[in-house]
Amino acid sequence: MSEELKQEPDFGSSLALLDALGIGPVWVRRELAVEEMQAAQAEAPAQESVASAPAAPAELQETIAPEPALAQSKAPAAPPAAPPPSPAAPAAPVRPRAPAEEEGGPPSWLDEMDFATSLEPMLIPDGDEDEEAPAVDPVLARIKVMEWPQLKQQVAECRRCGLCQGRKNTVFGVGDEKAKWLFIGEGPGRNEDQQGEPFVGPAGKLLDNMLQAMGVKRGENAYIANIVKCRPTDDNGRDRPPSPQEVASCLPYLQRQIELIQPTVLVALGKTAAISLLGMDPATPVSRLRGTVHRYQDRPLVVTYHPAYLLRTLNDKSKAWADLCLAMNTYQAQAR
């Protein structure tokens, strides 16, 4: 490759690439041939114009003086001396057209190689790869295979939502771990948070009476749990229903409890437990969910009022008893 072409700004990066590909000498010879052809074409018109200009007749040369403008165009018959050869690198070079691909020359995209050095590298995705799958929470994956000791320890150390900041104790659940009846409430209250056990205090005593009327006892063929394991409170320290985010963070623990217990019938105590398990609109009232046997994970689920609500609304105790009778009938049908 000639040193002049190496210094040429328009060809420098392209010729360097061709040198790296091992075809530099071929490109240089063709480029030099184009330059020589352009120089020859630039000389030919000047020679033809001089040779074709006829000499003025002798009589006219003596009587008519040519005008200055015409004197320059009227060249003598004898051709002038050949001009010196043009320099190898003209002041304003014109990039020669690369030979067409069908003529055996390099492809046309080589004309654009000067711009390649300024482009940012780009990764082209593999068309065979599937779209990126959503990340899986490693904690949830472990919860799904935990046994009772690991699950209890995980709940005691849980920091998955903000409820952990105000709790005194986590409330895991209590009862027969192979029970046929599973009663699910909303969340711990003040008494439950202090003792670490669900349904203690006045609401817990009422629930015990309801269980006794059904022929079961706390800890004997019955298990009691909540949707969330920590006490939800408002800014004034009063109990409140858990938020959807808090329910979503804590529900995997209850789901694993259900898988370990394998209950025959589930009883949702109150609105929060019902809509959380059934995935319903939070505005759905309990009255629309009562009287129907729902399904959760292919298990029958009956909805009734929360014991704390029944302590405030005594007239609905009869309705709650009707719900428990529906649950007992469902249990007997499952046992057949």
Side-chain angles (χ1 to χ4, degrees):
M1 182 187 302
S2 65
E3 294 298 325
E4 293 83 0
L5 291 176
K6 289 182 178 180
Q7 300 301 325
E8 184 64 37
D10 292 333
F11 296 100
S13 57
S14 295
L15 293 176
L17 174 63
L18 294 173
D19 266 351
L21 297 176
I23 59 174
V26 177
W27 177 262
V28 172
R29 287 198 297 271
R30 294 193 176 197
E31 192 277 333
L32 290 177
V34 172
E35 287 187 353
E36 293 175 0
M37 181 180 66
Q38 288 182 341
Q41 290 176 354
E43 296 172 6
Q47 295 177 359
E48 292 175 3
S49 62
V50 172
S52 59
E59 58 275 13
L60 294 179
Q61 291 179 2
E62 297 177 356
T63 58
I64 302 176
E67 297 180 358
L70 295 176
Q72 296 179 0
S73 63
K74 301 283 187 179
S86 59
V94 178
R95 176 177 295 183
R97 183 182 65 86
E101 295 184 37
E102 59 270 15
E103 297 176 2
S108 58
W109 53 263
L110 282 178
D111 289 340
E112 303 176 0
M113 288 304 296
D114 290 339
F115 301 97
T117 58
S118 62
L119 296 178
E120 293 292 334
M122 179 178 64
L123 296 178
I124 301 177
D126 189 355
D128 296 334
E129 294 182 358
D130 296 333
E131 295 182 0
E132 184 178 355
V136 178
D137 190 340
V139 176
L140 296 182
R142 293 197 301 269
I143 291 174
K144 292 181 179 180
V145 296
M146 286 181 178
E147 298 298 328
W148 285 109
Q150 295 83 9
L151 188 61
K152 292 176 181 179
Q153 184 67 25
Q154 182 68 37
V155 170
E157 300 173 354
C158 180
R159 297 291 187 275
R160 291 177 56 83
C161 71
L163 294 181
C164 64
Q165 300 177 1
R167 74 189 180 199
K168 292 184 178 179
N169 291 291
T170 57
V171 182
F172 181 80
V174 66
D176 185 356
E177 294 178 353
K178 297 296 181 181
K180 301 300 181 182
W181 290 94
L182 176 58
F183 296 86
I184 304 172
E186 175 181 283
R190 182 174 62 87
N191 294 327
E192 289 79 6
D193 180 55
Q194 292 178 348
Q195 301 183 33
E197 183 176 338
F199 285 94
V200 295
K205 291 181 180 180
L206 178 56
L207 178 59
D208 289 341
N209 293 336
M210 295 166 65
L211 297 179
Q212 185 176 1
M214 297 173 62
V216 297
K217 295 181 180 181
R218 183 187 295 246
E220 295 181 7
N221 201 28
Y223 195 93
I224 305 172
N226 284 311
I227 292 294
V228 295
K229 309 301 185 185
C230 299
R231 180 191 180 192
T233 57
D234 58 18
D235 295 337
N236 297 321
R238 295 191 295 263
D239 293 339
R240 63 166 176 82
S243 67
Q245 293 77 14
E246 294 164 349
V247 171
S249 299
C250 208
L251 195 59
Y253 297 130
L254 177 61
Q255 292 172 340
R256 182 56 183 165
Q257 286 177 301
I258 295 173
E259 293 176 359
L260 291 172
I261 296 171
Q262 295 291 311
T264 301
V265 178
L266 286 73
V267 179
L269 302 172
K271 173 181 175 179
T272 299
I275 63 176
S276 298
L277 292 172
L278 299 176
M280 291 189 170
D281 189 336
T284 305
V286 176
S287 58
R288 291 181 53 186
L289 302 176
R290 293 181 52 254
T292 302
V293 178
H294 304 274
R295 308 293 295 185
Y296 178 77
Q297 294 183 353
D298 202 29
R299 292 181 174 86
L301 184 149
V302 176
V303 179
T304 190
Y305 295 106
H306 193 282
Y309 168 82
L310 295 176
L311 290 175
R312 300 189 303 267
T313 313
L314 300 179
N315 294 335
D316 285 342
K317 284 187 176 181
S318 59
K319 298 179 181 179
W321 175 244
D323 298 333
L324 296 180
C325 290
L326 175 62
M328 289 187 288
N329 293 334
T330 303
Y331 176 83
Q332 293 175 358
Q334 292 291 116
R336 295 174 185 173

